[in-house]
Amino acid sequence: MSNDILWVRKDDLHTTRLHSAEEQPLAAGQVRVRIERFALTANNITYAAFGEAMSYWQFFPSGEEGWGVIPVWGFATVSQSLHPGVAVGERLYGYFPMAASVVLTPERLSPERFTDAAAHRSALPAVYNQYLRTRSDPLYTPETEDLQALLRPLFLTSWLIDDFLDDNDFFGARPGAALLSSASSKTAYGTAFQLAQREGIEVIGLTSAANKAFCESLGCYHRVLAYEELDQVAADLPCVYVDFAGNGALRRQIHTRFANLKHSASIGGTHVDQLAASGAGKHLPGPRATLFFAPAQVKKRSADWGPAAFGQRMVQAWQGFMRQVGDPKAPWLTAQQHAGGPAVRAAYAEVLAGRGDPRVGHMLSLARAS
Ligand SMILES: NC(=O)c1ccc[n+]([C@@H]2O[C@H](COP(=O)([O-])OP(=O)(O)OC[C@H]3O[C@@H](n4cnc5c(N)ncnc54)[C@H](OP(=O)(O)O)[C@@H]3O)[C@@H](O)[C@H]2O)c1
């Protein structure tokens, strides 16, 4: 059987190619998984934008110079196994290539998870090499797979950003405001959902004019402004800035306008055409823009609270968020399925351009119907 993989030009993310490769026989200890569905959001575009600098291209190398495979989060089923601890039919959640299938080498197995021990992944961050076995995953429910794939990695970041800011008493900006860019993005509104539960912080969402009504409809922002309306916020307001997409011009405006900007956190870099020019941050007024490093907060809180309590708090927050996002009467997000090469390429182009409807989450599949 052949495996369809979406290749992307590393030097021009707009250029894609659907590559078909014959599946190779498994070696002892390996499993092949059929990637049935994966989510694609702006976060995956950041993986590509930082593919070289942060090694994201190294997870699933294309094997051909100049071409990369973007990692995505999704669900897969074991279709072939030469590993005694992993059965055919087992369902997994984890980090996959944009492809129909992939070969993994399970190691360090527990009832909850295993690690892919492929040599080329050994030096990469462990969190991306783990595959969760859905039957023992406390966040898993079969009927919410789409929302899990779309939101889980994002909400974990949102939850940690909120906790990090509170843990640092908002760097002296409480009472005051948190300014969130890309307010219509899932990671931003997850953060707003958490921040809105804090006392003394006005949560202000900044978004494109077209997405203002959507952000207002969520109810998790105290105020929503289009990017052009930034001057409606008092210039002396104590505030923190959380920059989700790396728009250098907006960051400059915020650093220049707000005399009491207490912290500037950089979360992602989806604005591939306008990423804050390297070094630009050094010359801005106010606090230096600082990359938010989620694993550091995980480590700190696991030590503060203990790993079990950390996990419980996270599960509780996730469940609260899922109840809100998936509310059948007024869902914040609805999944749209795109199956097959042409549909996947079209969805990718839409997410890359950042012009999608924020109410719609893209679920993609390159797996052929079996
Ligand atoms: N560091 C981390 O660990 C981490 C984890 C999760 C997410 N993030 C970052 O958070 C950001 C949001 O990710 P997401 O997956 O939540 O996004 P998403 O839900 O797909 O967000 C879509 C929104 O993001 C903005 N956007 C997306 N692409 C754009 C583009 N090319 N140009 C301009 N605006 C664009 C637009 O918002 P507006 O109209 O509101 O501007 C758009 O409505 C990404 O930069 C991602 O890398 C980082």
Side-chain angles (χ1 to χ4, degrees):
M1 213 158 125
S2 65
N3 182 18
D4 291 338
I5 311 167
L6 190 76
W7 283 8
V8 175
R9 277 299 305 176
K10 293 179 182 176
D11 58 0
D12 173 19
L13 301 182
H14 298 275
T15 303
T16 60
R17 181 169 131 196
L18 197 65
H19 176 76
S20 236
E22 265 319 292
E23 289 182 337
Q24 299 301 307
L26 297 182
Q30 291 185 327
V31 300
R32 193 184 319 278
V33 304
R34 184 171 186 271
I35 305 160
E36 270 136 358
R37 52 173 82 180
F38 56 85
L40 188 72
T41 75
N43 188 39
N44 306 96
I45 305 301
T46 300
Y47 294 155
F50 291 120
E52 297 289 3
M54 296 181 74
S55 308
Y56 288 113
W57 295 128
Q58 290 179 27
F59 285 92
F60 306 106
S62 72
E64 192 157 315
E65 187 60 33
W67 293 89
V69 180
I70 299 179
V72 286
W73 295 92
F75 287 92
T77 300
V78 178
S79 58
Q80 255 185 300
S81 175
L82 290 185
H83 192 294
V86 183
V88 168
E90 173 155 9
R91 195 141 182 86
L92 304 169
Y93 165 79
Y95 206 53
F96 294 110
M98 292 180 73
S101 70
V102 72
V103 172
L104 305 174
T105 310
E107 233 183 55
R108 275 181 271 151
L109 282 80
S110 73
E112 292 82 28
R113 67 192 72 212
F114 65 72
T115 295
D116 179 22
H120 71 275
R121 293 175 71 163
S122 63
L124 298 170
V127 60
Y128 297 117
N129 291 337
Q130 289 182 3
Y131 291 86
L132 301 184
R133 313 178 89 166
T134 59
R135 60 167 184 250
S136 320
D137 175 2
L139 298 196
Y140 182 76
T141 51
E143 66 283 3
T144 61
E145 278 195 355
D146 288 341
L147 288 185
Q148 290 169 68
L150 284 161
L151 293 170
R152 186 168 174 163
L154 308 180
F155 182 70
L156 178 62
T157 306
S158 305
W159 182 69
L160 291 165
I161 295 167
D162 164 70
D163 178 64
F164 167 77
L165 292 174
D166 184 62
D167 197 18
N168 287 283
D169 204 16
F170 289 82
F171 297 88
R174 183 158 51 187
L179 303 169
L180 275 56
S181 69
S182 304
S184 67
S185 71
K186 297 175 237 333
T187 316
Y189 66 62
T191 308
F193 177 80
Q194 291 300 115
L195 285 170
Q197 300 169 36
R198 306 261 178 214
E199 293 291 321
I201 286 294
E202 185 189 11
V203 187
I204 302 178
L206 306 171
T207 187
S208 44
N211 287 331
K212 190 175 169 186
F214 166 74
C215 294
E216 285 171 339
S217 75
L218 299 177
C220 59
Y221 293 103
H222 296 113
R223 218 178 343 160
V224 178
L225 298 170
Y227 293 119
E228 307 75 51
E229 296 171 333
L230 191 63
D231 59 1
Q232 292 183 19
V233 185
D236 60 354
L237 183 70
C239 57
V240 292
Y241 176 46
V242 189
D243 171 10
F244 285 91
N247 183 332
L250 179 65
R251 180 182 297 171
R252 177 168 292 282
Q253 259 181 290
I254 285 175
H255 276 249
T256 307
R257 176 172 179 78
F258 296 104
N260 285 315
L261 179 68
K262 304 291 189 185
H263 183 75
S264 175
S266 164
I267 312 296
T270 310
H271 281 258
V272 283
D273 302 326
Q274 320 170 35
L275 272 181
S278 52
K282 289 184 201 146
H283 308 295
L284 294 178
R288 186 155 178 190
T290 311
L291 193 71
F292 173 71
F293 189 56
Q297 193 64 9
V298 172
K299 195 170 167 192
K300 177 173 190 297
R301 286 315 206 180
S302 299
D304 289 350
W305 301 332
F310 175 89
Q312 277 160 12
R313 285 182 190 228
M314 204 271 283
V315 170
Q316 210 175 6
W318 166 258
Q319 287 169 344
F321 185 57
M322 284 292 272
R323 273 194 296 279
Q324 175 70 71
V325 174
D327 178 358
K329 291 196 289 297
W332 287 10
L333 185 63
T334 307
Q336 192 176 79
Q337 313 293 331
H338 308 263
V344 163
R345 289 175 85 173
Y348 168 77
E350 190 180 313
V351 173
L352 180 63
R355 58 170 188 262
D357 177 349
R359 290 174 200 280
V360 173
H362 297 291
M363 290 301 301
L364 281 47
S365 178
L366 286 166
R368 299 190 183 161
S370 54

